[in-house]
Amino acid sequence: MSEMLESENPATGEVVGRVPVTPVEDVPSAVARARAAQPAWAARSLSERRAILSRLGEVLGPRTDTLAELLTREMGKPLADARGEIGAVSDVGAELEEMEAALAPEVLERGGARSTLYRDPFGVVGAITPWNFPVLMPHWMVLPALMAGNGVVLKPSEEPPLVAPA
């Protein structure tokens, strides 16, 4: 049985929930799985990746109140701020459109020469995120990496572990 991490309400000390801790020796396996999945993801077009990632709003939007309440109980963030954080992550349309434009091949012409600049994925990106914006910070790191065709291994903060991977 793996070790469990308890998340406690900072105001009451009540245990809000528990999550399993990934043992250090399991990290290479997680990276290997991400590495194995990444080429198929990178092979998708920018517009395909954008369409898939745009579903984030469809998944999180209806859960805003539930996730905001969990975020408030787990880390003490005011409920209005928690709703704002979840709402910001749910509204990804314009953000994805901007990323797609930034990642599109760019034709460069100078002195009669023409070339095309492609932005290829790196492979697997490791994202380690802090506790203070446990939904927004992973979003800022994971979404652009995925949009660029990378695989991602996320290590959220252990301070608010329940809501961070939302």
Side-chain angles (χ1 to χ4, degrees), residues 4-7 15-20 161-162:
M4 298 298 283
L5 178 64
E6 288 188 344
S7 179
V15 174
V16 178
R18 294 171 180 80
V19 294
L162 302 176

Side-chain angles (χ1 to χ4, degrees), residues 11-156:
T12 66
E14 157 205 20
V15 174
V16 178
R18 294 171 180 80
V19 294
V21 174
T22 302
V24 172
E25 58 271 8
D26 289 354
V27 172
S29 174
V31 173
R33 288 191 308 275
R35 193 170 282 135
Q38 186 271 331
W41 178 249
R44 294 180 178 274
S45 70
L46 275 169
S47 60
E48 287 176 307
R49 292 193 296 258
R50 176 181 168 192
I52 292 167
L53 294 172
S54 70
R55 295 182 196 149
L56 177 66
E58 297 168 21
V59 173
L60 289 182
R63 299 177 61 208
T64 297
D65 288 339
T66 302
L67 291 171
E69 288 172 15
L70 176 60
L71 180 53
T72 295
R73 288 180 50 222
E74 189 171 29
M75 69 175 293
K77 183 173 278 201
L79 187 57
D81 292 352
R83 280 192 181 109
E85 184 171 343
I86 304 298
V89 172
S90 298
D91 187 18
V92 296
E95 193 173 2
L96 290 171
E97 183 177 335
E98 189 175 304
M99 286 181 214
E100 184 176 14
L103 292 166
E106 183 179 350
V107 176
L108 305 170
E109 295 185 36
R110 181 174 286 166
R114 180 183 169 145
S115 59
T116 304
L117 173 65
Y118 294 93
R119 292 166 178 88
D120 294 331
F122 291 118
V124 175
V125 174
I128 302 172
T129 57
W131 64 271
N132 53 340
F133 290 93
V135 179
L136 200 53
M137 294 296 261
H139 168 85
W140 286 343
M141 293 181 184
V142 171
L143 200 63
L146 289 173
M147 191 62 187
N150 296 295
V152 179
V153 176
L154 171 64
K155 190 277 179 200

